[in-house]
Amino acid sequence: MAERKPGSPIPTSLYQAMKDEYQQKRLNLIKEQLGIDDTRKIWFSKKTIDELFKAAGATEENSDKFGLEIHYGVVPEDRQGVPIPDECVGLHNVILTATNDDSLEVDKDNVIAYDNGAMCPPLC
């Protein structure tokens, strides 16, 4: 089998198989164990992603040094003033952070993180 780099394209059939596997195994388990119809997908605009990279210091010249980390999370009751809809509380979410390969450790107090994604469900 040929060696593959992380972040390489995958065939549509594998894309669908991975989504199906998540929905059949993880989402069903969450529903059975926790009684939650959890999030299947989250949508972010290109504008949001571009703003994230710009805020982290990425430019056209250094863009090959930056990457996107996607962290899993759950929306807590205390949303700290962020206007996340009530129906999203307790659901699986993702948080995007832009990182660069020059910083091995991220300043945990000053992480540039975005959560402007439309969660589906409930916001489909």
Side-chain angles (χ1 to χ4, degrees):
M1 180 179 278
E3 188 172 329
R4 145 180 207 288
K5 296 186 322 187
S8 297
I10 60 173
T12 302
S13 58
L14 179 56
Y15 160 76
Q16 190 61 51
M18 291 171 75
K19 285 180 28 178
D20 291 346
E21 188 83 4
Y22 176 75
Q23 290 182 17
Q24 293 165 5
K25 294 193 177 171
R26 300 295 195 276
L27 285 180
N28 283 342
L29 182 63
I30 290 168
K31 185 167 183 151
E32 290 169 11
Q33 297 293 316
L34 302 175
I36 297 172
D37 285 322
D38 209 353
T39 307
R40 296 187 313 275
K41 63 182 178 178
I42 301 171
W43 185 85
F44 291 88
S45 71
K46 180 183 180 305
K47 180 180 178 186
T48 297
I49 293 169
D50 288 345
E51 288 172 359
L52 171 63
F53 280 116
K54 182 178 177 184
T59 64
E60 189 65 36
E61 293 77 32
N62 69 7
S63 65
D64 62 328
K65 301 274 187 194
F66 281 80
L68 186 65
E69 288 184 358
I70 302 172
H71 298 266
Y72 299 103
V74 173
V75 178
E77 280 288 335
D78 178 6
R79 286 154 280 166
Q80 302 179 27
V82 176
I84 300 171
D86 290 343
E87 61 264 37
C88 295
V89 170
L91 297 181
H92 172 221
N93 200 351
V94 295
I95 304 101
L96 305 180
T97 59
T99 58
N100 69 57
D101 63 5
D102 292 334
S103 62
L104 297 177
E105 294 201 19
V106 175
D107 179 355
K108 303 292 184 209
D109 295 325
N110 294 304
V111 172
I112 299 170
Y114 274 49
D115 167 34
N116 288 338
M119 297 168 61
C120 176
L123 308 173
C124 300

